[in-house]
Amino acid sequence: MTKFRSVRKVMERPSKHWVGDGFHVYPVFGSLAFSNELSPLLMFDYADPKKFNAHLSTKPRGVGQHPHRGFETVTVAMQGEIEHHDSTGNKGVIGEGDVQWMTAGRGIIHEEYHSKEFTKNGGTLEMCQLWVNLPKKHKMTKPRYQPITKEDIPEVPLPLNSADVLGKARIIAGELGDTKGAASTFSPVQMWDVQLPHVGSEIDLPFPAHHNCIVFVRRGSVEVLSGEGDQKMKASKLGPQDVALMRLDGSDILRLRVVESDTALLILGGEPLDEPIAAQGPFVMNTQAEIQQAIRDYREGKMGR
């Protein structure tokens, strides 16, 4: 008898706020950000599609120089372009469908903003940024970038092992079936960009039973179906920017029913780290003493070199 993973909590769409002057985002995790409830994930900001007019200023919209230590940032450009550069000399453009997986590690100072071309011509920007915690033993690792283009990201037809294709998933990190994601991670992390176009279709997705699991709706609507396969299922409906936090109930199958056409989801999660979290601003360590050391290192110019 198949048991489908159950919903622990539904978090409805939060209010938006600006990050710098370029990113108008939903703080998706709300009050659960930086808690072990979502480990190894820390924070998730999503900017839904927003039109920006052509901008003639030499200073693009975005976020100025700021430091990070102790975790990774994952930036996905769904529409538009995001440019970045940092204190180690790295720079580049994250184009539509691309991902930048940045390991801050022992410390990096960077800035991110609308690309020069996007600023000049205007257009629609849709993006998200996920913060992923680093295990204690890797928090002071050397900073690195993984520039992942859309061509690098493997795509899996859904449902698995079926001739009737009802959707697709881009595997940014983790694995789905026999397909491994594009990103290299320090602990097991799942990040899937899922497209489900057909109303009424039901999709079963294998998901590691011991991993935290989060279903986020970019657009459209789904029902997460919980319970035993031969009994009446409980349906938890999610609309745009809603989140379902799934229980660690021993089930390794996630069942979804598509409610609106052209639905798009992000399915996220990973193996819990079960380590203390000390977070302050752009630093995430294990103790307050480590946070204070990070602040001192930044003020004394020892970070990002």
Side-chain angles (χ1 to χ4, degrees):
M1 184 185 302
T2 302
K3 178 183 177 182
F4 298 101
R5 196 150 178 179
S6 59
V7 174
R8 177 165 63 90
K9 181 183 297 186
V10 171
M11 299 172 65
E12 295 182 349
R13 177 171 58 188
S15 300
K16 297 169 75 171
H17 68 262
W18 282 94
V19 176
D21 63 356
F23 308 108
H24 200 202
V25 304
Y26 293 98
V28 175
F29 290 166
S31 62
L32 294 185
F34 304 102
S35 75
N36 270 311
E37 288 196 57
L38 304 175
S39 180
L41 309 183
L42 293 166
M43 189 196 77
F44 180 32
D45 281 344
Y46 170 70
D48 61 339
K50 180 176 178 61
K51 173 72 174 177
F52 288 89
N53 295 326
H55 189 45
L56 300 179
S57 170
T58 56
K59 183 179 183 299
R61 297 179 178 92
V63 183
Q65 288 190 350
H66 56 284
H68 290 305
R69 173 178 281 181
F71 63 99
E72 302 181 288
T73 67
V74 183
T75 305
V76 185
M78 288 94 170
Q79 300 182 66
E81 289 184 341
I82 303 158
E83 197 164 339
H84 70 95
H85 75 263
D86 71 31
S87 52
T88 69
N90 286 308
K91 61 182 178 180
V93 174
I94 310 165
E96 187 169 314
D98 296 345
V99 176
Q100 180 206 69
W101 199 292
M102 184 188 83
T103 304
R106 66 189 181 212
I108 200 166
I109 300 171
H110 78 138
E111 55 187 307
E112 50 210 334
Y113 41 87
H114 297 182
S115 75
K116 294 179 180 63
E117 283 299 309
F118 185 85
T119 299
K120 177 182 175 183
N121 299 320
T124 298
L125 181 70
E126 180 189 7
M127 58 80 66
C128 70
Q129 187 172 96
L130 181 73
W131 290 15
V132 180
N133 207 1
L134 284 170
K136 178 180 176 64
K137 63 183 178 180
H138 295 302
K139 280 194 172 291
M140 296 297 283
T141 194
K142 183 180 178 179
R144 72 173 186 182
Y145 279 97
Q146 296 178 73
I148 303 170
T149 67
K150 61 183 176 183
E151 290 80 14
D152 296 330
I153 301 171
E155 193 171 279
V156 178
L158 300 175
L160 297 179
N161 306 315
S162 173
D164 187 13
V165 177
L166 300 175
K168 60 185 180 181
R170 297 196 315 149
I171 313 304
I172 296 169
E175 55 187 88
L176 179 56
D178 296 328
T179 301
K180 294 187 180 300
S184 172
T185 63
F186 286 85
S187 69
V189 176
Q190 309 289 339
M191 187 172 186
W192 309 343
D193 180 10
V194 178
Q195 312 290 322
L196 299 173
H198 304 295
V199 173
S201 62
E202 292 187 2
I203 309 290
D204 291 349
L205 296 171
F207 197 95
H210 61 291
H211 284 197
N212 279 325
C213 179
I214 298 156
V215 179
F216 169 73
V217 180
R218 279 177 55 202
R219 65 173 182 269
S221 179
V222 295
E223 290 176 334
V224 183
L225 302 178
S226 308
E228 304 288 348
D230 62 348
Q231 299 175 4
K232 185 176 180 180
M233 307 282 282
K234 179 182 177 182
S236 300
K237 187 174 180 179
L238 307 177
Q241 289 80 63
D242 289 346
V243 170
L245 308 181
M246 309 304 294
R247 286 193 177 92
L248 289 168
D249 58 8
S251 172
D252 62 358
I253 299 291
L254 179 66
R255 172 166 281 190
L256 304 172
R257 178 188 292 140
V258 183
V259 177
E260 292 184 25
S261 61
D262 194 30
T263 286
L265 313 174
L266 287 172
I267 297 179
L268 311 166
E271 185 174 54
L273 297 181
D274 291 328
E275 295 176 349
I277 297 173
Q280 183 170 329
F283 308 128
V284 183
M285 303 300 289
N286 297 110
T287 68
Q288 283 301 318
E290 291 169 334
I291 291 290
Q292 294 307 311
Q293 184 62 55
I295 293 171
R296 285 194 296 271
D297 288 348
Y298 175 57
R299 288 175 176 171
E300 294 171 7
K302 297 178 181 179
M303 190 174 292
R305 295 186 297 181

